[in-house]
Amino acid sequence: MTPCIQCGMQPQNCKCLNGFQVSSRPPAIHALKTWPEFYAAVVGGRKTFEMRKADRDFQEGDILELAEWGPFAREYSGNKIRKIITYVMRGPCFGLAEGWVVLGLATPNDEAQRLAGGNL
């Protein structure tokens, strides 16, 4: 695994950002509910991050599958979108509480383009 960009420590010893931590396991798919206004912002490209409880093993390269959920109707709309997790910032740091993460997101095509150095 890559050391943290903040402190240079290996991820298991790092107490700050765990920057650029890359997992050796195959990418996981994390299926999560999201409210309509947040779903629309992700689909529209205005929201390129997700803040969540760190109750899963979120890793860079994993897939986040967001399903639109109506909190008042208490049902799914049927709309889903998949994003690639490009960055994981773990609390506690910069006001983010311990036990929470901020996930950087990209569309699969954007991430493939970035990894190829813009040569796709």
Side-chain angles (χ1 to χ4, degrees):
M1 288 196 225
T2 305
C4 174
I5 59 170
Q6 283 290 105
C7 65
M9 301 291 288
Q10 289 300 314
Q12 65 271 20
N13 300 321
C14 175
K15 300 294 185 215
C16 56
L17 293 180
N18 287 333
F20 297 104
Q21 181 175 336
V22 177
S23 176
S24 59
R25 68 163 169 71
I29 298 174
H30 304 283
L32 300 170
K33 296 175 186 173
T34 190
W35 287 15
E37 62 266 30
F38 304 120
Y39 180 83
V42 170
V43 169
R46 296 181 320 279
K47 185 172 180 263
T48 58
F49 65 92
E50 191 72 19
M51 188 170 117
R52 293 283 176 155
K53 282 187 177 180
D55 58 356
R56 300 165 187 245
D57 184 25
F58 294 114
Q59 299 290 329
E60 290 180 18
D62 285 355
I63 304 296
L64 195 65
E65 183 177 85
L66 298 172
E68 186 178 29
W69 168 261
F72 304 110
R74 301 193 58 79
E75 64 185 14
Y76 291 99
S77 70
N79 296 324
K80 293 181 182 179
I81 188 168
R82 283 189 168 190
K83 294 289 186 169
I84 294 176
I85 297 174
T86 59
Y87 188 81
V88 180
M89 186 172 104
R90 301 178 192 281
C93 67
F94 300 110
L96 183 63
E98 186 166 352
W100 287 81
V101 294
V102 174
L103 308 172
L105 305 176
T107 61
N109 290 340
D110 289 346
E111 182 62 3
Q113 181 81 12
R114 184 188 70 79
L115 291 172
N119 295 323
L120 289 179

